[in-house]
Amino acid sequence: LYTVLRKLGETRSAKSQKILESYFDHENEDLVIAAVEGAANVAVGSLGNKLIPLLEDKRWRVRVAALEAIKEKGGSDPGLFGMIRGRETVLAPAIAEAVMRCLDDSDEFVRHTAAVTLGELKVFQAEQPLKNAYKKHEGMHGVIIGVLIKLAVSVPDEFIEDLFGPETDDLLSVLDSIKRISSSRPIVYRAAESADHDVSCSALRVLAGSEKRNHSDNKLLVEAVKSGSIEKQLTVIQEFDLVSDKTVKVRKELEQLQSGETPDKIFSTTSDADVLYAVSRLMENPETPELARNDGIVLLCRFGHAPAFREAEKKWPDMTSSMKATVAESLSLYGTNALRLFNLALDDDNSKVWREAL
């Protein structure tokens, strides 16, 4: 029967959903969970308020399954998301209230899942209940701060102070959960200056991977590249990213910095190009560890940096296939000077390399 319920969850049938819903109050816990998970996967119909009673089921695994189903359905279920505000779906009030009540559930895993669900579904009215739950449940500190950041609401100063205690698990969890840096800069900046390398590198990973960096973000990245710490250098080099429409502008600024020009805009602020320039200087330093040097070459090739392409040509036999593929993908930025590298890529045994060159 368990297998049958699983199979029903793979269909696109309203009839299958009705069958699955008939098992929501079954005495067998595993069958209830299979039915709830299956109903969440069925691509037709609406679960609507049918999940609310399950959030108060005496079995904690059933409560978690119901929360996961609400999260899984996302904005696709008109019974869960009947209202639209701008571009954001708004969780139906009855469902939102039921999920928020789970923040005070007797089971820690249910509380955790409820908090994550509120964040994933952008339930903005959950801000105060989340802050209340933070004060009641010590084990929820990391996940709740992460959800508050996801909702782009203010994180109280005392919450931030709690994060920077002797134990780093919550802080690392929060840093790992950050997708947009805008509302989390106070936490990320402080973490980037931490003496704990795991913490500082996690913060630098957020900054380097952000598509919307500002002057202060880039300044911290430049400092990390110049720090002498191989861990920090590798984090910045390996995670550095840009939105595609900024590439040409940053490439031009990098060329100006490399030639000794310092236009006012570059000189007065720390730009994305300044981070790449710091990497280029690192690459030129003979004392730079080989791993950082090689990764730096690959990064700079992505931005058409001529000296990096020349270094890539010298190091080609010793580069990994992944590195070669990235360089090959960027050859158009090197113009007519790329002919020798182009031939090396075409002759490479790895098909991904020569395909990227083409």
Side-chain angles (χ1 to χ4, degrees), residues 32-101:
V32 177
I33 293 170
V36 170
E37 291 175 348
N41 288 330
V42 174
V44 296
S46 169
L47 288 176
N49 292 335
K50 297 163 190 172
L51 291 169
I52 290 181
L54 297 180
L55 296 178
E56 297 180 359
D57 192 280
K58 64 182 180 180
R59 298 161 292 192
W60 71 268
R61 289 175 61 228
V62 172
R63 301 197 296 277
V64 168
L67 287 166
E68 292 286 0
I70 290 171
K71 185 171 61 172
E72 176 74 20
K73 291 296 278 187
S76 65
D77 188 333
L80 295 178
F81 295 84
M83 300 176 290
I84 301 293
R85 181 178 63 199
R87 294 183 178 179
E88 295 172 343
T89 52
V90 179
L91 194 62
I95 304 289
E97 290 292 334
V99 175
M100 287 189 285
R101 284 197 296 272

Side-chain angles (χ1 to χ4, degrees), residues 198-213:
D198 288 338
V199 171
S200 60
C201 287
S202 291
L204 291 170
R205 193 171 293 115
V206 174
L207 293 169
S210 174
E211 294 183 345
K212 294 185 178 181
R213 283 187 298 272

Side-chain angles (χ1 to χ4, degrees), residues 160-234:
I160 295 177
E161 286 303 316
D162 290 341
L163 268 185
F164 288 90
E167 299 295 328
T168 61
D169 288 352
D170 282 345
L171 178 54
L172 290 170
S173 175
V174 168
L175 291 169
D176 187 55
S177 72
I178 294 173
K179 305 303 179 188
R180 293 183 180 179
I181 192 173
S182 56
S183 63
S184 58
R185 281 192 169 90
I187 293 172
V188 176
Y189 286 1
R190 184 169 171 181
E193 304 285 358
S194 172
D196 186 304
H197 269 43
D198 288 338
V199 171
S200 60
C201 287
S202 291
L204 291 170
R205 193 171 293 115
V206 174
L207 293 169
S210 174
E211 294 183 345
K212 294 185 178 181
R213 283 187 298 272
N214 64 23
H215 157 76
S216 297
D217 301 341
N218 284 321
K219 186 176 179 183
L220 284 169
L221 294 179
V222 170
E223 290 173 358
V225 173
K226 294 179 176 180
S227 68
S229 163
I230 181 65
E231 293 90 349
K232 291 182 178 181
Q233 291 167 345
L234 285 173

